[in-house]
Amino acid sequence: MNTMHRNIAANPPPLSFAQALVSVAAQAALLLETSPAQEAVSLADSLGRVLAAPILADRDQPPFDRATRDGYAVRAADLVSGQPLRILGQVRAGEAWPGDQPPLASGQAIEIMTGAPMPAGADAVLMVEHAERSPDNATLRPATGRVLAPGANFVPRASEARNGDCLAAPGTRMGVPHIAVAAGCGLTSLSVYARPRVAILATGDELVEPASPAAPIAAHQIYNSNSDSTAALVQLAGAIPVRLPIARDRHQDIADGIRAGLDADLLLLSGGVSMGKYDLVEEVLTGFDAEFFFTGVRIQPGKPLVFGRIPAGNIPASNAHPARYFFGLPGNPLSTMVTFALFVRPLLAALAGEKDWQPPFALARLTQDFQHAPGLTRFLPAWLDTTQAEPTVTPVPWHGSGDLAANARANCYLVAPEDLPLVPAGTYVRVLLRG
């Protein structure tokens, strides 16, 4: 390990929010060039996993002309005259009109249920509420003035997908719609990428691990909430958290923690990345020949964020990737959560083989004037109300990035642009959604 310490005062200036996103996206694109290991999982266990092989249609979908309404299979041209149609019988979902019967002829109709195959010769479905049956139920007439165009109220065969079509591509994170598609193709297992392992290293002399039963804690100490919250974020992102012991604010402790974390696919450090006398993380990382992509972003919370990678020479040979990426996250819990959503999550998605993941933003109308000092893009606790026709967002009063209580009262983060000191009520603003 190189023992030369980098001159921290020579750091380049912090990047803008947009520049930092571009930097992370560029590294994510490089990661996507190397596919992670693959494994097979049952369909029931595939939720949240990333596909390594495509889901292909096992046959045409639908495999037959499928009725979409309860009613009567008819020839659309027969409805123009308004003359009665003779009802030949009924076909239900899960059945088929006998193939030995002749195609539906002019003046005939067949009662049909939603999901049933269309009988040969029929080209439309007259909805049951638009039909008037005779007292003996032998014939029907369309309701007065009711006509149909050919193709009404049924879905043609193969209109959704053809046999062999790709229904979900590799790199897709499995959600409920994808599970439905896979089940609809008769699949019971899928090939997915292995979940990344993420090492979590909290640093700081002030940190104490929660204990059960609760151990006494000194007034100058705080519980290590970052490791728990970061592990939860990692799990929500579909990865495996690996919690490391707290590293005290000493070179050797931090170096030992980093070395232990290099066996994982991604290393997340929290704390020790500001400019204080005992903020040693960047200096220790430099001793591992770390390459820094940025050492600060013009955002609040999260300005001291560090992003880089440690070259292959310092990585255990058993790992798939030639270098190990790391983030040095600010120590304040809210800063950790925001920077994870904005920057860590996209890189973690790439490590998992997921394509095209971006931070989840939405638009909402601001309910009150909001004023802040320009120069930083701010992500502040807020409440997104979607109970009305138009979403609205209201800032939650808070006391800085260590205010866990305010963050717990929020359900999103209001995005305040760095070049707009006053955002008037009624303005549409971006909000960062929580995972």
Side-chain angles (χ1 to χ4, degrees), residues 386-414:
T386 59
T387 60
Q388 306 300 317
E390 182 177 60
T392 61
V393 63
T394 304
V396 170
W398 73 312
H399 300 282
S401 53
D403 192 343
L404 288 175
N407 194 41
R409 292 193 298 270
N411 64 357
C412 71
Y413 300 105
L414 166 67

PDB file of all heavy atoms in Angstrom, residues 386-414:
ATOM      1  N   THR A 386     -50.521  13.281  -2.468  1.00  0.00           N
ATOM      2  CA  THR A 386     -51.097  12.836  -3.745  1.00  0.00           C
ATOM      3  C   THR A 386     -52.574  12.488  -3.603  1.00  0.00           C
ATOM      4  O   THR A 386     -53.132  11.804  -4.461  1.00  0.00           O
ATOM      5  CB  THR A 386     -50.330  11.608  -4.272  1.00  0.00           C
ATOM      6  OG1 THR A 386     -50.409  10.547  -3.308  1.00  0.00           O
ATOM      7  CG2 THR A 386     -48.869  11.938  -4.533  1.00  0.00           C
ATOM      8  N   THR A 387     -53.212  12.964  -2.526  1.00  0.00           N
ATOM      9  CA  THR A 387     -54.621  12.625  -2.312  1.00  0.00           C
ATOM     10  C   THR A 387     -55.555  13.490  -3.148  1.00  0.00           C
ATOM     11  O   THR A 387     -56.736  13.171  -3.287  1.00  0.00           O
ATOM     12  CB  THR A 387     -54.995  12.779  -0.827  1.00  0.00           C
ATOM     13  OG1 THR A 387     -54.776  14.141  -0.413  1.00  0.00           O
ATOM     14  CG2 THR A 387     -54.139  11.857   0.042  1.00  0.00           C
ATOM     15  N   GLN A 388     -55.043  14.598  -3.680  1.00  0.00           N
ATOM     16  CA  GLN A 388     -55.857  15.474  -4.522  1.00  0.00           C
ATOM     17  C   GLN A 388     -55.558  15.221  -5.997  1.00  0.00           C
ATOM     18  O   GLN A 388     -54.659  14.439  -6.335  1.00  0.00           O
ATOM     19  CB  GLN A 388     -55.600  16.947  -4.168  1.00  0.00           C
ATOM     20  CG  GLN A 388     -55.784  17.271  -2.693  1.00  0.00           C
ATOM     21  CD  GLN A 388     -57.192  16.975  -2.204  1.00  0.00           C
ATOM     22  OE1 GLN A 388     -58.168  17.280  -2.886  1.00  0.00           O
ATOM     23  NE2 GLN A 388     -57.295  16.358  -1.029  1.00  0.00           N
ATOM     24  N   ALA A 389     -56.290  15.903  -6.856  1.00  0.00           N
ATOM     25  CA  ALA A 389     -56.100  15.703  -8.298  1.00  0.00           C
ATOM     26  C   ALA A 389     -54.695  16.094  -8.733  1.00  0.00           C
ATOM     27  O   ALA A 389     -54.134  15.505  -9.661  1.00  0.00           O
ATOM     28  CB  ALA A 389     -57.141  16.509  -9.075  1.00  0.00           C
ATOM     29  N   GLU A 390     -54.121  17.098  -8.059  1.00  0.00           N
ATOM     30  CA  GLU A 390     -52.790  17.581  -8.414  1.00  0.00           C
ATOM     31  C   GLU A 390     -51.853  17.374  -7.232  1.00  0.00           C
ATOM     32  O   GLU A 390     -52.133  17.830  -6.123  1.00  0.00           O
ATOM     33  CB  GLU A 390     -52.848  19.061  -8.778  1.00  0.00           C
ATOM     34  CG  GLU A 390     -51.524  19.638  -9.213  1.00  0.00           C
ATOM     35  CD  GLU A 390     -51.666  21.105  -9.632  1.00  0.00           C
ATOM     36  OE1 GLU A 390     -52.090  21.909  -8.780  1.00  0.00           O
ATOM     37  OE2 GLU A 390     -51.355  21.419 -10.782  1.00  0.00           O
ATOM     38  N   PRO A 391     -50.712  16.676  -7.418  1.00  0.00           N
ATOM     39  CA  PRO A 391     -49.781  16.475  -6.312  1.00  0.00           C
ATOM     40  C   PRO A 391     -49.217  17.801  -5.801  1.00  0.00           C
ATOM     41  O   PRO A 391     -48.904  18.700  -6.589  1.00  0.00           O
ATOM     42  CB  PRO A 391     -48.676  15.617  -6.926  1.00  0.00           C
ATOM     43  CG  PRO A 391     -49.278  15.007  -8.144  1.00  0.00           C
ATOM     44  CD  PRO A 391     -50.269  16.012  -8.648  1.00  0.00           C
ATOM     45  N   THR A 392     -49.081  17.928  -4.497  1.00  0.00           N
ATOM     46  CA  THR A 392     -48.483  19.105  -3.880  1.00  0.00           C
ATOM     47  C   THR A 392     -47.366  18.653  -2.944  1.00  0.00           C
ATOM     48  O   THR A 392     -47.343  17.514  -2.464  1.00  0.00           O
ATOM     49  CB  THR A 392     -49.505  19.928  -3.082  1.00  0.00           C
ATOM     50  OG1 THR A 392     -50.053  19.118  -2.028  1.00  0.00           O
ATOM     51  CG2 THR A 392     -50.624  20.424  -3.979  1.00  0.00           C
ATOM     52  N   VAL A 393     -46.435  19.567  -2.688  1.00  0.00           N
ATOM     53  CA  VAL A 393     -45.329  19.259  -1.789  1.00  0.00           C
ATOM     54  C   VAL A 393     -45.135  20.402  -0.812  1.00  0.00           C
ATOM     55  O   VAL A 393     -45.213  21.578  -1.186  1.00  0.00           O
ATOM     56  CB  VAL A 393     -44.032  18.970  -2.579  1.00  0.00           C
ATOM     57  CG1 VAL A 393     -43.571  20.183  -3.385  1.00  0.00           C
ATOM     58  CG2 VAL A 393     -42.934  18.477  -1.656  1.00  0.00           C
ATOM     59  N   THR A 394     -44.897  20.068   0.459  1.00  0.00           N
ATOM     60  CA  THR A 394     -44.730  21.040   1.525  1.00  0.00           C
ATOM     61  C   THR A 394     -43.446  20.733   2.283  1.00  0.00           C
ATOM     62  O   THR A 394     -43.253  19.586   2.725  1.00  0.00           O
ATOM     63  CB  THR A 394     -45.908  20.987   2.513  1.00  0.00           C
ATOM     64  OG1 THR A 394     -47.130  21.186   1.794  1.00  0.00           O
ATOM     65  CG2 THR A 394     -45.774  22.047   3.593  1.00  0.00           C
ATOM     66  N   PRO A 395     -42.533  21.715   2.447  1.00  0.00           N
ATOM     67  CA  PRO A 395     -41.319  21.463   3.219  1.00  0.00           C
ATOM     68  C   PRO A 395     -41.647  21.094   4.661  1.00  0.00           C
ATOM     69  O   PRO A 395     -42.605  21.603   5.247  1.00  0.00           O
ATOM     70  CB  PRO A 395     -40.569  22.801   3.149  1.00  0.00           C
ATOM     71  CG  PRO A 395     -41.157  23.531   1.982  1.00  0.00           C
ATOM     72  CD  PRO A 395     -42.580  23.090   1.894  1.00  0.00           C
ATOM     73  N   VAL A 396     -40.872  20.199   5.237  1.00  0.00           N
ATOM     74  CA  VAL A 396     -40.989  19.826   6.643  1.00  0.00           C
ATOM     75  C   VAL A 396     -39.939  20.596   7.428  1.00  0.00           C
ATOM     76  O   VAL A 396     -38.760  20.567   7.062  1.00  0.00           O
ATOM     77  CB  VAL A 396     -40.782  18.302   6.815  1.00  0.00           C
ATOM     78  CG1 VAL A 396     -40.661  17.929   8.290  1.00  0.00           C
ATOM     79  CG2 VAL A 396     -41.923  17.532   6.161  1.00  0.00           C
ATOM     80  N   PRO A 397     -40.324  21.316   8.481  1.00  0.00           N
ATOM     81  CA  PRO A 397     -39.316  22.041   9.278  1.00  0.00           C
ATOM     82  C   PRO A 397     -38.238  21.078   9.784  1.00  0.00           C
ATOM     83  O   PRO A 397     -38.550  19.990  10.278  1.00  0.00           O
ATOM     84  CB  PRO A 397     -40.130  22.630  10.435  1.00  0.00           C
ATOM     85  CG  PRO A 397     -41.527  22.702   9.912  1.00  0.00           C
ATOM     86  CD  PRO A 397     -41.683  21.519   9.009  1.00  0.00           C
ATOM     87  N   TRP A 398     -36.986  21.489   9.657  1.00  0.00           N
ATOM     88  CA  TRP A 398     -35.903  20.620  10.094  1.00  0.00           C
ATOM     89  C   TRP A 398     -34.766  21.454  10.651  1.00  0.00           C
ATOM     90  O   TRP A 398     -34.732  22.679  10.492  1.00  0.00           O
ATOM     91  CB  TRP A 398     -35.438  19.710   8.954  1.00  0.00           C
ATOM     92  CG  TRP A 398     -34.641  20.411   7.880  1.00  0.00           C
ATOM     93  CD1 TRP A 398     -34.947  21.572   7.246  1.00  0.00           C
ATOM     94  CD2 TRP A 398     -33.403  19.974   7.319  1.00  0.00           C
ATOM     95  NE1 TRP A 398     -33.998  21.888   6.305  1.00  0.00           N
ATOM     96  CE2 TRP A 398     -33.035  20.923   6.338  1.00  0.00           C
ATOM     97  CE3 TRP A 398     -32.587  18.881   7.527  1.00  0.00           C
ATOM     98  CZ2 TRP A 398     -31.862  20.802   5.580  1.00  0.00           C
ATOM     99  CZ3 TRP A 398     -31.424  18.758   6.769  1.00  0.00           C
ATOM    100  CH2 TRP A 398     -31.074  19.708   5.807  1.00  0.00           C
ATOM    101  N   HIS A 399     -33.835  20.806  11.307  1.00  0.00           N
ATOM    102  CA  HIS A 399     -32.725  21.484  11.966  1.00  0.00           C
ATOM    103  C   HIS A 399     -31.388  20.946  11.482  1.00  0.00           C
ATOM    104  O   HIS A 399     -30.468  20.725  12.254  1.00  0.00           O
ATOM    105  CB  HIS A 399     -32.841  21.324  13.486  1.00  0.00           C
ATOM    106  CG  HIS A 399     -34.099  21.901  14.049  1.00  0.00           C
ATOM    107  ND1 HIS A 399     -34.284  23.261  14.258  1.00  0.00           N
ATOM    108  CD2 HIS A 399     -35.261  21.309  14.410  1.00  0.00           C
ATOM    109  CE1 HIS A 399     -35.497  23.480  14.736  1.00  0.00           C
ATOM    110  NE2 HIS A 399     -36.117  22.316  14.842  1.00  0.00           N
ATOM    111  N   GLY A 400     -31.284  20.748  10.183  1.00  0.00           N
ATOM    112  CA  GLY A 400     -30.029  20.300   9.610  1.00  0.00           C
ATOM    113  C   GLY A 400     -30.024  18.812   9.326  1.00  0.00           C
ATOM    114  O   GLY A 400     -30.944  18.068   9.671  1.00  0.00           O
ATOM    115  N   SER A 401     -28.941  18.356   8.710  1.00  0.00           N
ATOM    116  CA  SER A 401     -28.895  16.998   8.172  1.00  0.00           C
ATOM    117  C   SER A 401     -28.750  15.919   9.239  1.00  0.00           C
ATOM    118  O   SER A 401     -28.724  14.733   8.911  1.00  0.00           O
ATOM    119  CB  SER A 401     -27.757  16.881   7.151  1.00  0.00           C
ATOM    120  OG  SER A 401     -26.540  17.330   7.699  1.00  0.00           O
ATOM    121  N   GLY A 402     -28.658  16.310  10.500  1.00  0.00           N
ATOM    122  CA  GLY A 402     -28.675  15.316  11.562  1.00  0.00           C
ATOM    123  C   GLY A 402     -30.033  15.126  12.184  1.00  0.00           C
ATOM    124  O   GLY A 402     -30.189  14.352  13.146  1.00  0.00           O
ATOM    125  N   ASP A 403     -31.052  15.817  11.654  1.00  0.00           N
ATOM    126  CA  ASP A 403     -32.392  15.798  12.241  1.00  0.00           C
ATOM    127  C   ASP A 403     -33.157  14.562  11.761  1.00  0.00           C
ATOM    128  O   ASP A 403     -33.908  14.600  10.780  1.00  0.00           O
ATOM    129  CB  ASP A 403     -33.130  17.083  11.859  1.00  0.00           C
ATOM    130  CG  ASP A 403     -34.405  17.286  12.659  1.00  0.00           C
ATOM    131  OD1 ASP A 403     -34.885  16.311  13.253  1.00  0.00           O
ATOM    132  OD2 ASP A 403     -34.918  18.428  12.671  1.00  0.00           O
ATOM    133  N   LEU A 404     -32.981  13.452  12.478  1.00  0.00           N
ATOM    134  CA  LEU A 404     -33.642  12.212  12.087  1.00  0.00           C
ATOM    135  C   LEU A 404     -35.154  12.293  12.258  1.00  0.00           C
ATOM    136  O   LEU A 404     -35.909  11.696  11.484  1.00  0.00           O
ATOM    137  CB  LEU A 404     -33.100  11.055  12.922  1.00  0.00           C
ATOM    138  CG  LEU A 404     -31.670  10.601  12.610  1.00  0.00           C
ATOM    139  CD1 LEU A 404     -31.231   9.536  13.611  1.00  0.00           C
ATOM    140  CD2 LEU A 404     -31.559  10.070  11.196  1.00  0.00           C
ATOM    141  N   ALA A 405     -35.599  13.035  13.278  1.00  0.00           N
ATOM    142  CA  ALA A 405     -37.039  13.124  13.536  1.00  0.00           C
ATOM    143  C   ALA A 405     -37.752  13.823  12.379  1.00  0.00           C
ATOM    144  O   ALA A 405     -38.827  13.387  11.939  1.00  0.00           O
ATOM    145  CB  ALA A 405     -37.287  13.862  14.847  1.00  0.00           C
ATOM    146  N   ALA A 406     -37.172  14.925  11.873  1.00  0.00           N
ATOM    147  CA  ALA A 406     -37.789  15.623  10.744  1.00  0.00           C
ATOM    148  C   ALA A 406     -37.811  14.732   9.512  1.00  0.00           C
ATOM    149  O   ALA A 406     -38.792  14.696   8.766  1.00  0.00           O
ATOM    150  CB  ALA A 406     -37.030  16.916  10.448  1.00  0.00           C
ATOM    151  N   ASN A 407     -36.734  13.991   9.304  1.00  0.00           N
ATOM    152  CA  ASN A 407     -36.682  13.103   8.154  1.00  0.00           C
ATOM    153  C   ASN A 407     -37.743  12.010   8.249  1.00  0.00           C
ATOM    154  O   ASN A 407     -38.333  11.600   7.244  1.00  0.00           O
ATOM    155  CB  ASN A 407     -35.292  12.475   8.051  1.00  0.00           C
ATOM    156  CG  ASN A 407     -35.057  11.806   6.716  1.00  0.00           C
ATOM    157  OD1 ASN A 407     -35.433  12.331   5.669  1.00  0.00           O
ATOM    158  ND2 ASN A 407     -34.445  10.648   6.734  1.00  0.00           N
ATOM    159  N   ALA A 408     -38.025  11.549   9.454  1.00  0.00           N
ATOM    160  CA  ALA A 408     -39.045  10.524   9.637  1.00  0.00           C
ATOM    161  C   ALA A 408     -40.450  11.069   9.397  1.00  0.00           C
ATOM    162  O   ALA A 408     -41.365  10.315   9.064  1.00  0.00           O
ATOM    163  CB  ALA A 408     -38.948   9.934  11.045  1.00  0.00           C
ATOM    164  N   ARG A 409     -40.625  12.392   9.557  1.00  0.00           N
ATOM    165  CA  ARG A 409     -41.943  12.998   9.293  1.00  0.00           C
ATOM    166  C   ARG A 409     -42.152  13.286   7.812  1.00  0.00           C
ATOM    167  O   ARG A 409     -43.251  13.666   7.404  1.00  0.00           O
ATOM    168  CB  ARG A 409     -42.087  14.305  10.088  1.00  0.00           C
ATOM    169  CG  ARG A 409     -42.168  14.121  11.590  1.00  0.00           C
ATOM    170  CD  ARG A 409     -42.622  15.405  12.276  1.00  0.00           C
ATOM    171  NE  ARG A 409     -41.697  16.513  12.067  1.00  0.00           N
ATOM    172  CZ  ARG A 409     -40.671  16.802  12.865  1.00  0.00           C
ATOM    173  NH1 ARG A 409     -40.425  16.027  13.926  1.00  0.00           N
ATOM    174  NH2 ARG A 409     -39.886  17.819  12.619  1.00  0.00           N
ATOM    175  N   ALA A 410     -41.129  13.151   7.015  1.00  0.00           N
ATOM    176  CA  ALA A 410     -41.201  13.441   5.578  1.00  0.00           C
ATOM    177  C   ALA A 410     -41.428  12.147   4.805  1.00  0.00           C
ATOM    178  O   ALA A 410     -41.204  11.046   5.309  1.00  0.00           O
ATOM    179  CB  ALA A 410     -39.913  14.111   5.111  1.00  0.00           C
ATOM    180  N   ASN A 411     -41.881  12.297   3.549  1.00  0.00           N
ATOM    181  CA  ASN A 411     -41.998  11.129   2.667  1.00  0.00           C
ATOM    182  C   ASN A 411     -41.308  11.335   1.325  1.00  0.00           C
ATOM    183  O   ASN A 411     -41.432  10.516   0.417  1.00  0.00           O
ATOM    184  CB  ASN A 411     -43.458  10.737   2.454  1.00  0.00           C
ATOM    185  CG  ASN A 411     -44.264  11.794   1.726  1.00  0.00           C
ATOM    186  OD1 ASN A 411     -43.761  12.876   1.402  1.00  0.00           O
ATOM    187  ND2 ASN A 411     -45.530  11.508   1.458  1.00  0.00           N
ATOM    188  N   CYS A 412     -40.562  12.460   1.195  1.00  0.00           N
ATOM    189  CA  CYS A 412     -39.812  12.748  -0.026  1.00  0.00           C
ATOM    190  C   CYS A 412     -38.816  13.849   0.297  1.00  0.00           C
ATOM    191  O   CYS A 412     -38.726  14.321   1.444  1.00  0.00           O
ATOM    192  CB  CYS A 412     -40.750  13.167  -1.164  1.00  0.00           C
ATOM    193  SG  CYS A 412     -41.484  14.806  -0.931  1.00  0.00           S
ATOM    194  N   TYR A 413     -38.076  14.290  -0.727  1.00  0.00           N
ATOM    195  CA  TYR A 413     -37.153  15.407  -0.578  1.00  0.00           C
ATOM    196  C   TYR A 413     -37.478  16.460  -1.634  1.00  0.00           C
ATOM    197  O   TYR A 413     -37.543  16.162  -2.834  1.00  0.00           O
ATOM    198  CB  TYR A 413     -35.702  14.953  -0.725  1.00  0.00           C
ATOM    199  CG  TYR A 413     -35.311  13.914   0.294  1.00  0.00           C
ATOM    200  CD1 TYR A 413     -35.180  12.572  -0.079  1.00  0.00           C
ATOM    201  CD2 TYR A 413     -35.104  14.249   1.624  1.00  0.00           C
ATOM    202  CE1 TYR A 413     -34.842  11.601   0.850  1.00  0.00           C
ATOM    203  CE2 TYR A 413     -34.763  13.287   2.570  1.00  0.00           C
ATOM    204  CZ  TYR A 413     -34.643  11.967   2.174  1.00  0.00           C
ATOM    205  OH  TYR A 413     -34.318  11.009   3.104  1.00  0.00           O
ATOM    206  N   LEU A 414     -37.706  17.683  -1.177  1.00  0.00           N
ATOM    207  CA  LEU A 414     -37.920  18.808  -2.077  1.00  0.00           C
ATOM    208  C   LEU A 414     -36.593  19.205  -2.701  1.00  0.00           C
ATOM    209  O   LEU A 414     -35.582  19.342  -2.005  1.00  0.00           O
ATOM    210  CB  LEU A 414     -38.502  19.989  -1.285  1.00  0.00           C
ATOM    211  CG  LEU A 414     -38.501  21.369  -1.955  1.00  0.00           C
ATOM    212  CD1 LEU A 414     -39.442  21.383  -3.140  1.00  0.00           C
ATOM    213  CD2 LEU A 414     -38.880  22.445  -0.951  1.00  0.00           C
TER     214      LEU A 414
END
